Amino acid sequence: MSNLCNSSVGFAPYTLEVTGKGIHEVEQARAAIPAGTPINIAFLGNEDHAQRIRAAQVIRACGAEPVPIISSRRLRSEADRDELLGALVAQAAPKRFMFVGGDPATPAGPYQDSLALLASGVLERHGIEQVVITGYPEGHPKVDSGELMRALKWKLDFLRETGCAVEITTQFGFDAEAVVRWIEQLRQQGIDTPVRIGVPGPADVGKLLRFARQFGVATSASILRRYGLSMTNLMQRVGAERYWDQLQAGLGGRQLGRIGWHLYPFGGVEDGVNWINARLGGLDESRR
């Protein structure tokens, strides 16, 4: 495989995520979003390619960096893949893409998972030079931890051979100790890839728990208590301050490589961006 990818990439203090239907929130919050911030575009089953392309255009127009998420199992065919990626490149010029397996139990087309999609020649065909892959510090409800690690290593080895710049973005969670242990495990195995830790912005307790079930995140009573969540008041709006503080304590003074943040703004983009801007304003440059 040809070495077509640039191995160096800027590392923004944080990234965030939006849906095609919620792209207006980026326009409303653009003054609070630092210029050049990478914004991931979710690949939902109830949205179409036109919405995904439009979201990328809006993000670009707002001075941020669109990062389309490509759900392998939702792609209907090779032609469907090329139609979507070709339009994204032509109309929004994203510098990086994120490749995931996706939720459907049965693939809509030829790609069983993101490994199959990466191996299909998609990088060369569309000149993709920077790739984001997903990490699961708290595990995955449908895949055992050993298989998750094997898949992660396969992707990293494959992308390293192409020369691609790579980042790992984790699912959001509640267990800061599990996240720190997972990063330690990566580093002990010689994996020095930059990691972005997924953190949720302020949201109602009920909404956080719904997303946790959707993402397969563990929500034991003890973990929820540490996070400061109360099952008796699902309408209570909470921020991730405890989780954030626990992560800072676990990471503090450690040589764990380049670590950043990925915001899941379940309670709204503007509130989430203001929340993480305030958190990062209190960190020195070496910890961002």
Side-chain angles (χ1 to χ4, degrees), residues 2-218:
S2 63
N3 187 345
L4 56 86
C5 298
N6 185 346
S7 61
S8 63
V9 59
F11 196 70
Y14 68 90
T15 58
L16 64 123
E17 194 154 317
V18 298
T19 65
K21 292 179 180 178
I23 193 61
H24 64 281
E25 293 190 45
V26 172
E27 295 177 295
Q28 293 171 349
R30 65 182 299 174
I33 300 173
T37 295
I39 302 180
N40 295 2
I41 304 164
F43 198 119
L44 303 182
N46 60 359
E47 295 179 349
D48 58 28
H49 289 347
Q51 289 171 295
R52 299 172 186 121
I53 295 163
R54 171 61 179 160
Q57 292 173 316
V58 170
I59 291 168
R60 175 65 71 201
C62 288
E65 178 63 39
V67 183
I69 298 175
I70 306 299
S71 174
S72 306
R73 285 193 287 272
R74 292 194 189 280
L75 294 174
R76 299 184 296 275
S77 64
E78 182 178 300
D80 183 42
R81 177 201 74 182
D82 289 342
E83 176 186 349
L84 173 59
L85 272 72
L88 285 164
V89 170
Q91 298 182 43
K95 295 178 181 176
R96 70 189 79 183
F97 284 80
M98 184 172 189
F99 294 97
V100 301
D103 297 330
T106 302
Y111 307 115
Q112 176 64 37
D113 50 33
S114 58
L115 284 68
L117 180 56
L118 287 170
S120 73
V122 66
L123 302 179
E124 298 96 328
R125 185 169 183 83
H126 296 282
I128 296 170
E129 300 185 348
Q130 300 173 14
V131 172
V132 183
I133 59 177
T134 310
Y136 299 91
E138 297 183 41
H140 189 289
K142 298 179 182 178
V143 186
D144 71 66
S145 58
E147 182 57 33
L148 285 173
M149 186 57 72
R150 283 190 291 273
L152 179 70
K153 289 180 177 178
W154 184 95
K155 294 174 193 176
L156 291 173
D157 288 343
F158 179 89
L159 293 166
R160 188 178 298 116
E161 289 181 6
T162 71
C164 277
V166 187
E167 291 181 8
I168 299 170
T169 293
T170 77
Q171 288 287 17
F172 92 98
F174 300 115
D175 191 344
E177 292 179 3
V179 173
V180 175
R181 283 197 305 270
W182 184 81
I183 296 173
E184 286 179 326
Q185 181 184 8
L186 293 186
R187 303 319 190 208
Q188 288 167 1
Q189 296 187 36
I191 298 172
D192 59 1
T193 308
V195 174
R196 292 191 180 279
I197 300 172
V199 293
D204 298 344
V205 172
K207 181 175 286 190
L208 277 176
L209 295 179
R210 286 196 300 275
F211 276 106
R213 286 192 293 271
Q214 177 182 330
F215 283 76
V217 175

